[in-house]
Amino acid sequence: MKQLLLLRYGEVGLKGRNRRYFENVLAGNIKKALWGLENCRVLQGHGRNFVEAPPEQMPVVLERLQKVFGLVSFSPVAVSGLSLADIKETALRELAKTARPGESFKVETKRANKRFPVKSPEVSREVGAYLLAHLPHLKVDVHAPLHRLAVEIRDREAYISAGSLPGPGGLPVGVSGRGLLLISGGIDSPVAGYLALKRGVTLEALHFHSPPFTSARAREKVVDLCRVLAGYGGRIMLHTARFTEIQKELRLKCPDRLQVTLMRRMMFRVAERLAAKRRALALFTGENLGQVASQTMESLAVIESVTNMPVLRPLIGFDKEEIVTLARRIGSFETSIRPYEDCCTVFLPDFPAIRPRPDEVEKAEAGLEVESLVAACLETVDRQEVTPDPAL
Ligand code: ATP
Ligand code: MG
């Protein structure tokens, strides 16, 4: 038996060339997500995508498509022969799978094939009556039905579907340009990366580590977090920069209370240079407004003032609990809470400045060779392409 899955995408506000571009990127992402599944085909046309697969493969197909942004909903579609009797029987089978006693339904027919002898309203009526006769515990509601049974009459066959499942929404990864995510091993930045991907951004990631103060396992954790993100956006280029020398220099020459602010400024300087090299248009961080020293508005301002690039913070309106919930849902949480040290916690001062002032920060940096520290840090960047976990 053939089983189809109809994929719907959001098209609000999409016109002309934009729309074609959106559709092509999305179709490419769908194919990539289903890569390696045998007997599974993507059919594109008439502003819609179908996936054809054996019924037993559908659960895997659905699971993978749940990670393809741009898809708004899915409908399993049964294919029937082009006779009213066939259509009725298939409709009955499909509706019986989902409808519970007492629930309401409505039949909606679209007749793309005008040679089919029965007109749409009549098909709907006939099929509706048949369903009601065989499923008497259901009722018809033409205004606000719980189940919409869609019949689509095409040239060689009819498509019948009894409901839809929500997709992940968002925009197809690739349509919004490239961004550079500053990724730590924490809970927040992977979630920020997920939200950037959801808005169609092609992501690269940058992580700062401080060997020997941070361990190889701390770095492995970041690779694993990128792997989670790669499940949503396809392979991710992870850049790792050695931050040890900058941190030592800051420790040696700058006041304790400004360490966090100064480290962040250094990170942003390095990130901006790397972003320019990689043709990324913005930096993404997991920053949030909060009571920690680096995340007051004064602090965010002093930190971002070292770069001219847009700094986008997808989590700015989230509560911690909401971030944790999302981290669990996307599958990054368990990795994020592995206990390894991050470079920023290694040298954390006891009393960081909560509202650093631009003048005191600039004064603190006056004794540093900022330019050469940044250039030297950039020299240490190594990169690794992280692919999705094949088991997922
Ligand atoms: P996270 O959970 O992402 O670490 P956080 O709430 O702990 O966030 P901070 O540790 O203050 O906040 O970091 C703020 C942001 O700075 C992070 O979300 C991340 O974007 C960036 N960042 C922090 N540490 C690093 C690092 N070692 N490498 C790259 N980026 C980092
Ligand atoms: Mg952190």
Side-chain angles (χ1 to χ4, degrees):
M1 193 181 84
K2 255 203 303 189
Q3 171 97 51
L4 292 178
L5 192 66
L6 166 63
L7 318 182
R8 294 189 195 80
Y9 50 86
E11 36 194 299
V12 183
L14 283 175
K15 295 202 188 75
R17 281 175 52 194
N18 252 344
R19 173 171 173 157
R20 222 168 311 136
Y21 176 62
F22 179 104
E23 287 173 349
N24 288 336
V25 174
L26 180 61
N29 292 352
I30 292 168
K31 284 186 188 135
K32 261 189 265 170
L34 299 179
W35 205 255
L37 292 181
E38 276 173 40
N39 307 318
C40 176
R41 282 199 308 156
V42 180
L43 317 169
Q44 211 188 341
H46 303 292
R48 291 185 305 179
N49 291 297
F50 287 96
V51 174
E52 189 188 75
E56 64 276 10
Q57 213 170 46
M58 273 302 167
V60 186
V61 168
L62 271 170
E63 197 182 328
R64 295 215 189 162
L65 292 177
Q66 276 301 340
K67 295 186 167 185
V68 179
F69 293 124
L71 293 174
V72 169
S73 70
F74 311 109
S75 290
V77 173
V79 182
S80 106
L82 264 194
S83 74
L84 204 51
D86 242 358
I87 291 172
K88 284 177 181 170
E89 215 170 293
T90 312
L92 176 58
R93 208 176 51 227
E94 291 305 301
L95 189 63
K97 279 189 207 164
T98 55
R100 303 276 156 267
E103 292 178 350
S104 61
F105 75 96
K106 175 190 182 181
V107 180
E108 291 172 341
T109 306
K110 211 158 82 186
R111 192 176 54 134
N113 171 4
K114 300 294 178 204
R115 281 168 321 192
F116 189 77
V118 189
K119 289 193 174 158
S120 301
E122 204 178 323
V123 173
S124 295
R125 252 194 325 271
E126 290 242 3
V127 174
Y130 183 82
L131 292 173
L132 214 48
H134 289 79
L135 300 170
H137 51 279
L138 297 185
K139 56 187 186 222
V140 171
D141 181 342
V142 292
H143 301 297
L146 192 62
H147 302 278
R148 286 176 194 274
L149 190 116
V151 177
E152 182 174 331
I153 296 170
R154 300 169 63 104
D155 285 344
R156 291 197 201 89
E157 53 206 359
Y159 287 172
I160 291 156
S161 73
S164 61
L165 310 159
L171 298 175
V173 171
V175 301
S176 300
R178 195 188 304 258
L180 182 64
L181 172 70
L182 278 86
I183 190 165
S184 70
I187 294 171
D188 300 343
S189 38
V191 178
Y194 165 87
L195 290 171
L197 290 169
K198 188 172 179 203
R199 295 316 297 164
V201 176
T202 302
L203 269 194
E204 297 200 3
L206 168 61
H207 175 65
F208 293 93
H209 67 157
S210 292
F213 306 109
T214 57
S215 65
R217 286 202 290 188
R219 177 153 187 277
E220 204 43 47
K221 176 179 174 182
V222 174
V223 173
D224 288 344
L225 288 171
C226 286
R227 208 176 295 292
V228 172
L229 293 178
Y232 295 89
R235 49 192 59 197
I236 286 189
M237 187 67 79
L238 168 63
H239 306 265
T240 306
R242 188 182 153 97
F243 207 51
T244 319
E245 281 63 39
I246 290 183
Q247 276 186 298
K248 282 187 177 163
E249 193 70 3
L250 293 177
R251 283 275 282 177
L252 200 64
K253 300 191 175 155
C254 305
D256 252 20
R257 55 186 292 280
L258 292 178
Q259 291 291 320
V260 177
T261 311
L262 297 173
M263 274 194 290
R264 289 274 188 273
R265 280 164 67 96
M266 285 302 203
M267 284 185 183
F268 274 34
R269 289 182 175 113
V270 174
E272 176 179 51
R273 300 278 191 89
L274 182 70
K277 263 214 278 204
R278 303 296 302 172
R279 299 187 192 289
L281 301 170
L283 304 180
F284 285 80
T285 78
E287 287 164 321
N288 187 245
L289 271 179
Q291 283 310 307
V292 291
S294 57
Q295 302 192 354
T296 59
M297 282 213 271
E298 289 86 344
S299 189
L300 293 177
V302 166
I303 292 167
E304 80 165 23
S305 68
V306 301
T307 167
N308 287 318
M309 200 166 259
V311 178
L312 303 181
R313 303 178 175 91
L315 301 182
I316 207 70
F318 283 56
D319 292 342
K320 193 70 188 182
E321 273 173 41
E322 293 172 313
I323 298 170
V324 167
T325 303
L326 195 47
R328 285 187 199 277
R329 213 184 75 211
I330 69 175
S332 61
F333 185 74
E334 292 303 323
T335 305
S336 285
I337 58 173
R338 285 188 217 155
Y340 311 113
E341 294 279 276
D342 183 67
C343 71
C344 298
T345 40
V346 172
F347 294 126
L348 204 64
D350 291 337
F351 300 103
I354 295 194
R355 302 180 202 286
R357 292 190 323 273
D359 60 314
E360 62 175 342
V361 170
E362 275 154 30
K363 199 173 129 208
E365 283 179 349
L368 300 174
E369 300 277 351
V370 171
E371 181 53 34
S372 63
L373 285 170
V374 169
C377 181
L378 268 170
E379 286 293 313
T380 69
V381 173
D382 83 53
R383 58 176 150 128
Q384 167 182 1
E385 200 169 53
V386 183
T387 51
D389 187 342
L392 295 177

